[in-house]
Every structure is written in structure tokens, then in C-alpha cells.
Amino acid sequence: KPYVDIKFWAQEKLFLVTNLSTQQGVVDSLGKEIIPCKFDHIKRPGEGFFAVKSLEERKYGYVNDQGELQVACKYNVADAFENGVAIVRKYNRGMGLINKYGAEIIPLKFSRVKVLADGQIAAKDKLDKVHYLKVVYHNGIARDVNCVSDQDAYFDYLRNGK
């Protein structure tokens, strides 16, 4: 198939390819198509899931490493999966956290969400209050969060890394 652009993801041993219609897809090192060229944008994978931007909805969702749509394309912003969760955003609602099944672990109502080095989540609400949360896993799947503490020190964390 003719491609106008090819980008190699060395760590994953995959190629991000763009066809003549500027649609993106992914092929492996043997040239086998993993994800067909039918997306507006594909981000580097995280934990076997690719954030993909649909041509029709112009929103992001997630495709697994078998090329199957796992999470519907309904987010304006979608980050890579890390520790079984991904940060997502809808402009009219806010930011939150989903699991690999698309379930909202943290509702999309926060102005900022950040995964911290210790695995905790800092979620800043629209009143600038910061909630520190810990993801709860059941049978290896992120299912819920527990509140660890509520503090107003989020920007101190960003500035100082503590």
C-alpha cells in the first residue's frame, strides 16, 4: 500500500503510517497491518492500547493491539494508558480517568488530573481544591478510587515535584 509518511516507534517495533488520504494506521515490522489506515490521528501506544482520533466524530477513543475498538471515540483528549488507567477529557465536562473497558474511574469533572510518581492521582476540582486519590484494582482491573487526602498544594507539587 502506498504511504506518504512512515514513523518508526522503536520501543514497540511498530510503524505509524499515513496513506495518500492522510489517514493513519499501524503496521508491524513484517508489514502486517495492525490498525487499518482509517484514523485522523493515532498516538503512541500505552499498555497495548492506542489512542485513536476518529475521522467521523473528530474525537479520541482506544483501539487494542489487535485493531479492535475498545473504548468509543468520544473524548477531546486521550492520554496513553499507564497502570491500567488513562486520563481523558471532554471539553464541555472536564478531565477524569478511565479503565481499559472505558469505565470512568474518576468522573470527568476535574479541571486537572495528574498521575503522580507514587501511583496516586492528583485531581484538581473547579474550585481549585486538590484531591489525592489511589486507584483500587479488582482482579487486576482498575475499578474505583479511594480518597487519600484533600489538599490545596497541587501547584506546589507541580513547581517542586514533591
Side-chain angles (χ1 to χ4, degrees):
K1 296 179 183 180
Y3 299 121
V4 295
D5 190 40
I6 299 172
K7 180 179 179 182
F8 182 56
W9 288 328
Q11 185 175 357
E12 297 84 3
K13 296 183 176 107
L14 297 171
F15 294 89
L16 174 68
V17 295
T18 305
N19 68 13
L20 295 169
S21 301
T22 69
Q23 297 170 338
Q24 292 186 331
V26 175
V27 298
D28 67 15
S29 58
L30 299 174
K32 179 183 173 217
E33 185 177 79
I34 305 296
I35 300 173
C37 286
K38 65 177 188 177
F39 293 100
D40 186 47
H41 185 238
I42 299 177
K43 294 184 178 184
R44 186 178 211 119
E47 298 183 359
F49 285 76
F50 299 80
V52 296
K53 187 174 187 181
S54 157
L55 290 168
E56 298 81 29
E57 293 93 359
R58 310 282 303 154
K59 308 260 186 197
Y60 283 95
Y62 292 90
V63 171
N64 67 18
D65 56 8
Q66 305 298 308
E68 303 162 332
L69 186 67
Q70 293 294 301
V71 178
C73 295
K74 59 183 179 179
Y75 301 104
N76 298 100
V77 178
D79 289 349
F81 274 93
E82 182 179 342
N83 296 319
V85 294
I87 297 171
V88 293
R89 177 182 195 109
K90 286 186 179 181
Y91 290 144
N92 61 341
R93 288 183 53 203
M95 295 177 81
L97 204 67
I98 63 168
N99 69 13
K100 291 180 179 180
Y101 295 99
E104 289 183 15
I105 303 302
I106 297 176
L108 279 67
K109 66 178 188 177
F110 292 94
S111 61
R112 185 85 191 255
V113 175
K114 177 141 178 86
V115 178
L116 306 179
D118 62 1
Q120 290 188 36
I121 311 295
K124 181 179 170 190
D125 67 25
K126 293 178 177 150
L127 299 174
D128 286 340
K129 185 171 185 176
V130 177
H131 308 271
Y132 289 93
L133 309 164
K134 191 78 169 171
V135 176
V136 177
Y137 296 87
H138 299 286
N139 296 323
I141 304 297
R143 299 280 185 196
D144 201 359
V145 291
N146 287 333
C147 185
V148 177
S149 67
D150 293 330
Q151 298 179 12
D152 294 315
Y154 183 69
F155 288 107
D156 288 337
Y157 168 79
L158 291 179
R159 274 195 299 273
N160 305 319
K162 298 179 182 177

